Amino acid sequence: MIAIIVDETCEELGRELETKLKEKGKETAYISTAGLDIRTCYSCGYCSTKEYGKCCQKDDMEPILRVLVKSETMIAVTPVTFGSYSSAVKAVIDRTCVIGDTHYHAVRGEMVKGMRSDIRYQYVVGVKEECSEKEQKYFHNLVAENIRIMNIQGQSFILEPEKSVNELLEVICHE
């Protein structure tokens, strides 16, 4: 399954991605951040010490985690905000730590965690008109670092609102 997490400002692109993935026969789960109460990670360690794999926060993240643990691919669609994700998408990505491996280990000389779920791929689609080269660099570096820490495969894309998603689909569908 492919989980598509979409910032509410990118709904049109998110729906286009979902439609095209379904046309290719892919099972998808569409998750919009619109109206959801997803708090930022407290970094309290509850999920790794007190109650392994469970978050102490009771908000709208629990149903999202249930979808993510069944997904092989996670796609985040977000506006590029100061070279980063939107705050809503960042909160979701940060909170996936609860389904991640809680112990760091070295891979190719870098400290990584990995995932206890089925997630093997993460793609992040940034949307911004006239995104500067510097901001693009920061965005790509941030996504690459998150992918390294999670010890999965993936990549980032920056699309202008009118740009086609066909190249992205080829990568996501491993064609």
Side-chain angles (χ1 to χ4, degrees), residues 76-99:
V77 182
T78 178
V80 177
T81 308
F82 300 109
S84 184
Y85 314 108
S86 70
S87 59
V89 169
K90 182 170 182 353
V92 171
I93 290 173
D94 287 350
R95 294 279 299 282
T96 62
C97 65
V98 76
I99 59 174

Side-chain angles (χ1 to χ4, degrees), residues 104-161:
Y104 281 98
H105 54 281
V107 173
R108 295 179 299 282
E110 292 192 38
M111 296 304 290
V112 298
K113 282 188 149 196
M115 298 299 287
R116 289 182 296 134
S117 68
D118 288 341
I119 296 175
R120 294 188 342 211
Y121 303 96
Q122 179 184 36
Y123 301 101
V124 181
V125 182
V127 179
K128 184 169 186 175
E129 290 183 43
E130 300 178 30
C131 193
S132 73
E133 281 186 40
K134 198 172 206 176
E135 194 169 23
Q136 288 181 40
K137 178 182 173 186
Y138 292 146
F139 183 78
H140 292 306
N141 287 344
L142 172 66
V143 173
E145 184 62 21
N146 284 340
I147 288 168
R148 269 193 299 278
I149 289 170
M150 294 168 76
N151 199 24
I152 58 177
Q153 296 178 39
Q155 82 184 65
S156 56
F157 302 86
I158 295 181
L159 299 179
E160 296 173 8

